[in-house]
Amino acid sequence: MKGFTLIELLVVVLIIGILSAVALPQYQRAVDKSKYMRMTALTNTVKKAQEAYYMANGAYATKFEELDVSLPSSYKWMTDSSDAGGQCYGPKGWNGDHICTGPRSTFVEPFGVAKVHYQCKYENSPWNGKCFCIVNQTTPEKDRWNALCQSLGKEYETPAYSGNWRNWVL
């Protein structure tokens, strides 16, 4: 008689289940890190444009139009009010990834609002020129975002983001 016994099939299903349980979280981490790093590259480009604008004008720009930088064509103007003190652009409103810049900092939220973001500061403060991975500790997926930031830098607490936020200086 040819074929497999029920025990053999159960062993194969068990092995596939174990491999999936190990591989899927690693895959999600790799996808998250890839998206985060793509957005940090955009932020660093805007940050450098802000630094060039400052050298030429003695102040940081409040609008993307003042900078020598182009955003992805899918990005549309969202608001002129942001934590950066300037403008925000994004493809799907506040629910999608977006970037903000102004005279205080440039930041992106690659997974939507109030989860995890990457921020580079250039205001007159002790954190001038530093970039951070910042996680909202009230979000249900905080462990996912904390693991992402932890893989990128060392933890660092700043007074500006204390309380519900955890920070990693990069």
Side-chain angles (χ1 to χ4, degrees), residues 1-161:
M1 195 179 299
K2 295 183 179 183
F4 297 104
T5 66
L6 182 59
I7 296 296
E8 290 171 328
L9 289 173
L10 287 174
V11 168
V12 169
V13 168
L14 179 66
I15 290 171
I16 291 171
I18 290 170
L19 290 174
S20 296
V22 172
L24 284 177
Q26 293 290 1
Y27 174 74
Q28 179 162 10
R29 255 184 242 123
V31 169
D32 286 348
K33 194 171 185 179
S34 172
K35 183 172 184 179
Y36 188 85
M37 296 310 289
R38 181 174 44 86
M39 295 298 288
T40 61
L42 180 59
T43 303
N44 288 332
T45 299
V46 173
K47 178 183 175 241
K48 288 177 183 168
Q50 279 281 22
E51 290 167 353
Y53 185 89
Y54 183 85
M55 293 295 286
N57 300 294
Y60 292 105
T62 58
K63 297 179 180 179
F64 281 99
E65 292 79 18
E66 297 171 334
L67 301 174
D68 186 22
V69 66
S70 59
L71 297 174
S73 61
S74 62
Y75 277 43
K76 296 178 176 53
W77 179 74
M78 291 167 42
T79 179
D80 59 2
S81 173
S82 77
D83 289 341
Q87 286 185 325
C88 296
Y89 276 77
K92 296 182 275 183
W94 291 108
N95 294 324
D97 58 333
H98 56 275
I99 183 166
C100 301
T101 194
R104 294 190 295 271
S105 66
T106 294
F107 69 90
V108 292
E109 291 179 304
F111 301 95
V113 173
K115 296 174 186 173
V116 58
H117 65 270
Y118 174 71
Q119 181 171 29
C120 294
K121 293 184 162 281
Y122 40 81
E123 60 189 8
N124 292 327
S125 76
W127 306 283
N128 185 22
K130 292 191 173 146
C131 298
F132 300 89
C133 183
I134 305 170
V135 177
N136 184 344
Q137 296 303 299
T138 63
T139 186
E141 295 179 302
K142 70 177 180 183
D143 293 338
R144 174 182 172 188
W145 309 127
N146 284 330
L148 172 67
C149 288
Q150 189 173 16
S151 72
L152 300 171
K154 63 179 184 176
E155 190 171 355
Y156 183 73
E157 186 63 35
T158 63
Y161 283 96

